[in-house]
Amino acid sequence: MSERTTLLAVLELNSNPDRLVERAIWLARAFDCSIHLMMFEPETTLVSKLFSASSNEDLLRDEVHRAQASIVAKYAETVSNSGIDVETSILRSRPLADYVLEKANELQPRIVVKATRYHSIAERSILVDADWQLMRTCSFPLWFVKSETLPDAPLIAAAVDPGHAHDKPASLDNEIITAAKSVAAVTGGDIHLVHAYESIGDLGAAATWAVKVQRLPVEEIDSQITDMHNAALVSLAEQHDINVEHTHMLPGRAQAVLPAFVHSQHANIFVMGALSRWGVKRALIGSTAEHIIDHLPCDTLIVRVGEYPLDL
């Protein structure tokens, strides 16, 4: 059993706060955790500029702070009434992601929980959005809330890459499956492994058009690649005692086929891995995980290889 017994819930009033608190309670019950409810509500400086006198500005600020305290107290009461221990804090400074990471390092939570929304390309490109920053830098399991509700026994889709494309470490697949099994163990959920891979068909067709040499045996090569990926996926499932019939091979780009799979299978929770990015790589517009999350209709759990696994 993990010694991390607190769940850090990041509450934003403009991002489904009721749903966030409901999911935090659900997770806290499942993993036997207390909740630290951290409300983010930055200072309302634009409104204060309407007042010329500093005393009026102070009064307005005090009123806003009282309202914020009342709101977080209301949500804390909801948590407490569910039988879960709760602490609260209010964050009024930007950037949000930096302070979430600071609080997470202090609390050492089992999971960081945050509601999410669609992100524009501009937000991704200049890296101002807290969700993107947390995906890149949060060492703790990160749960993004999207679904309105979760069933008693959710369908859990775990995205793995047994071919280890893009230099992903093999241990990341193990981390992903371990997290999925932990969620399944406490919820009675059912795990499906899904693997997206790119076929050689399009590349081979382009090559045969470009050069007038002996045609490439595209179909034969593609079949060999498919068999290789399938064997690796089945081996991974057997290694983790996952039903082989619950493995799914999806030819195509991950950011296109994985959300489509989740929609078609009505998956409730999607588990995937992320890699830490630094330097030039961190300036790129998103990894595969970052491209996928906007198009998923369900809750998403993001894990990474490190010292804070989500295990039992």
Side-chain angles (χ1 to χ4, degrees):
M1 171 69 74
S2 173
E3 295 180 358
R4 306 194 318 275
T5 57
T6 300
L7 184 150
L8 175 58
V10 183
L11 179 69
E12 299 170 279
L13 298 186
N14 64 348
S15 188
N16 291 313
D18 294 328
R19 189 178 302 175
L20 181 280
V21 171
E22 177 184 312
R23 190 71 77 255
I25 292 172
W26 187 87
L27 286 166
R29 285 173 172 164
F31 287 97
D32 193 22
C33 289
S34 62
I35 293 177
H36 185 102
L37 193 60
M38 178 184 187
M39 189 174 85
F40 174 63
E41 189 65 12
E43 293 283 9
T44 315
T45 55
L46 292 178
V47 177
S48 66
K49 290 180 180 178
L50 296 175
F51 295 85
S52 57
S54 60
S55 60
N56 287 335
E57 183 177 338
D58 291 340
L59 288 172
L60 176 61
R61 182 181 296 107
D62 291 344
E63 184 63 28
V64 169
H65 288 178
R66 282 193 292 271
Q68 292 170 346
S70 175
I71 292 170
V72 76
K74 181 195 74 171
Y75 283 114
E77 183 178 12
T78 299
V79 175
S80 182
N81 288 342
S82 71
I84 296 170
D85 292 337
V86 59
E87 295 181 347
T88 63
S89 60
I90 299 177
L91 172 63
R92 299 188 176 97
S93 302
R94 294 183 182 273
L96 170 60
D98 290 349
Y99 288 97
V100 170
L101 292 172
E102 182 179 305
K103 179 61 72 172
N105 288 330
E106 172 192 335
L107 296 175
Q108 301 284 294
R110 188 75 178 274
I111 309 171
V112 176
V113 187
K114 185 182 181 300
T116 191
R117 57 177 177 76
Y118 177 78
H119 305 80
S120 69
I121 294 177
E123 287 174 316
R124 288 182 241 169
S125 63
I126 60 177
L127 306 180
V128 297
D129 191 87
D131 293 355
W132 301 98
Q133 297 282 34
L134 290 173
M135 276 191 279
R136 285 179 167 89
T137 57
C138 185
S139 300
F140 300 91
L142 182 61
W143 189 295
F144 285 122
V145 178
K146 273 193 178 181
S147 302
E148 291 186 14
T149 59
L150 290 178
D152 292 335
L155 192 158
I156 304 162
V160 294
D161 185 14
H164 313 306
H166 312 298
D167 298 323
K168 291 182 180 178
S171 54
L172 184 56
D173 281 345
N174 295 327
E175 201 81 34
I176 292 167
I177 296 175
T178 296
K181 292 176 74 172
S182 294
V183 175
V186 297
T187 64
D190 198 12
I191 299 174
H192 287 244
L193 298 187
V194 55
H195 171 44
Y197 71 102
E198 294 188 44
S199 69
I200 200 174
D202 293 336
L203 175 61
T208 56
W209 278 103
V211 294
K212 295 182 179 180
V213 296
Q214 182 177 356
R215 290 180 60 87
L216 294 173
V218 174
E219 293 182 0
E220 179 182 344
I221 295 173
D222 203 43
S223 178
Q224 291 174 355
I225 290 175
T226 300
D227 290 344
M228 179 181 66
H229 280 276
N230 187 64
L233 181 60
V234 168
S235 176
L236 185 64
E238 291 175 342
Q239 177 185 343
H240 289 275
D241 295 322
I242 303 294
N243 188 343
V244 173
E245 294 183 358
H246 288 182
T247 60
H248 307 268
M249 292 274 294
L250 304 178
R253 293 177 60 83
Q255 47 263 52
V257 298
L258 290 177
F261 173 84
V262 169
H263 278 280
S264 65
Q265 299 296 316
H266 305 290
N268 308 114
I269 301 168
F270 188 78
V271 185
M272 62 180 169
L275 298 174
S276 297
R277 292 175 174 268
W278 304 102
V280 175
K281 286 186 176 181
R282 191 176 178 184
L284 299 178
I285 305 178
S287 65
T288 300
E290 294 158 353
H291 283 295
I292 290 172
I293 190 170
D294 269 339
H295 304 287
L296 292 172
C298 63
D299 282 19
T300 305
L301 172 61
I302 298 174
V303 299
R304 63 180 71 247
V305 176
E307 57 183 310
Y308 305 116
L310 180 62
D311 58 6
L312 295 177

